[in-house]
Amino acid sequence: MQSIPIVFLYGFFVILPVFFWFWFFGRRDRAEPEPRKLLFQLFLWGFLAAIIAFLLEVFLSEIFYGEDNSDVNLLNRTEIMSIASLGVLILFVAIEEIVKFFILKKVVYYSEHFTQIIDGALYGICLALGFSFIENTGYFFDVLFGEYTMRDLIGISFLRSFMPLLLHIVATGICGLYLARKKFSPEHSQKNIIKGLFIAISMHGIFNISVLMTESPINFFIALAVLFLGLLFLLRQISKGESKMIWKLIYK
């Protein structure tokens, strides 16, 4: 593989999608845009979230699978072979979403710039972009230095630049949305956080089960349906009037 095509492929499939989705969602917050510095910091916090989730998954893989854990780490997910494997898969999904959520809450909840419900979704999306950037970089170089062809590299990079990236964006964006609803509700109800995490984990879990269970085209279309329904839900929620209102800051 030549160095110039590799640099191009990495830029096209790993870096460019980050800029595209940042532009796509940033346009929906033009009335009260967030500081670019804060958004970039959240992107970097996504790196930490990916590393923490990866380490937790490796640790749990050692517990559940012992030395035979090469197929359950961040770079090469396990296939669904049993109820036990299904349970481990859901656990890994929950870990990723919970780690992203708690880092997001820690970083932005009391920020003076967090004044709209749409802000929470945008913050979650920026963190998800950082998380996915690390994850997709890992996959890219795993394939690059593995026993794969250029066609494999392009195919895998293309799929990851679209499906898993959008999955993380929507899931963490929804968590951020419900985090904002907790912040700006008089009751500060924890039910908003539980609801956001439930939606994110359920969507992520259905997606992973669909793409990993079999190679049936039906499962592929189920995964696509989950992505687009999740995206439509998120876009509809952030387009509501209440999402763009400037709310008085209410602290617990």
Side-chain angles (χ1 to χ4, degrees), residues 20 50 63 126 138 155 190 233 246:
F20 170 77
I63 294 175
C126 286
Q190 295 290 340
F233 174 78
I246 308 297

Side-chain angles (χ1 to χ4, degrees), residues 101 178 182 189-201:
F101 171 79
Y178 281 94
K182 174 188 182 300
S189 176
Q190 295 290 340
K191 291 181 180 179
N192 284 307
I193 289 177
I194 294 172
K195 187 174 182 179
L197 280 171
F198 176 79
I199 294 173
I201 292 171

Side-chain angles (χ1 to χ4, degrees), residues 149-216:
T149 66
M150 177 65 79
R151 179 177 295 180
D152 294 329
L153 180 63
I154 293 174
I156 293 172
S157 298
F158 170 75
L159 287 175
R160 290 211 58 85
S161 69
F162 167 54
M163 297 179 72
L165 174 59
L166 184 57
L167 173 69
H168 283 295
I169 287 172
V170 173
T172 316
I174 288 173
C175 282
L177 178 78
Y178 281 94
L179 176 65
R181 286 180 173 170
K182 174 188 182 300
K183 179 181 176 71
F184 299 118
S185 66
E187 301 83 8
H188 294 292
S189 176
Q190 295 290 340
K191 291 181 180 179
N192 284 307
I193 289 177
I194 294 172
K195 187 174 182 179
L197 280 171
F198 176 79
I199 294 173
I201 292 171
S202 298
M203 186 179 70
H204 196 159
I206 293 171
F207 175 89
N208 279 15
I209 292 170
S210 297
V211 298
L212 295 175
M213 183 176 291
T214 68
E215 296 182 357
S216 169

Side-chain angles (χ1 to χ4, degrees), residues 24-34 113-122 177 180-181 184 234-248:
F24 179 84
F25 282 100
R27 291 179 69 249
R28 282 147 181 82
D29 191 33
R30 287 181 292 184
E32 188 74 19
E34 301 308 296
H113 303 291
F114 194 172
T115 59
Q116 298 172 283
I117 291 177
I118 192 176
D119 293 347
L122 186 59
L177 178 78
R181 286 180 173 170
F184 299 118
L234 180 59
L235 291 174
R236 182 176 180 182
Q237 295 303 309
I238 64 177
S239 66
K240 291 183 177 180
E242 67 168 10
S243 296
K244 298 183 179 181
M245 290 175 58
I246 308 297
W247 293 79
K248 179 181 178 181

Side-chain angles (χ1 to χ4, degrees), residues 6-17 140:
I6 295 305
V7 171
F8 172 79
L9 289 175
Y10 180 75
F12 188 78
F13 289 119
V14 179
I15 298 176
L16 186 60
F140 184 89

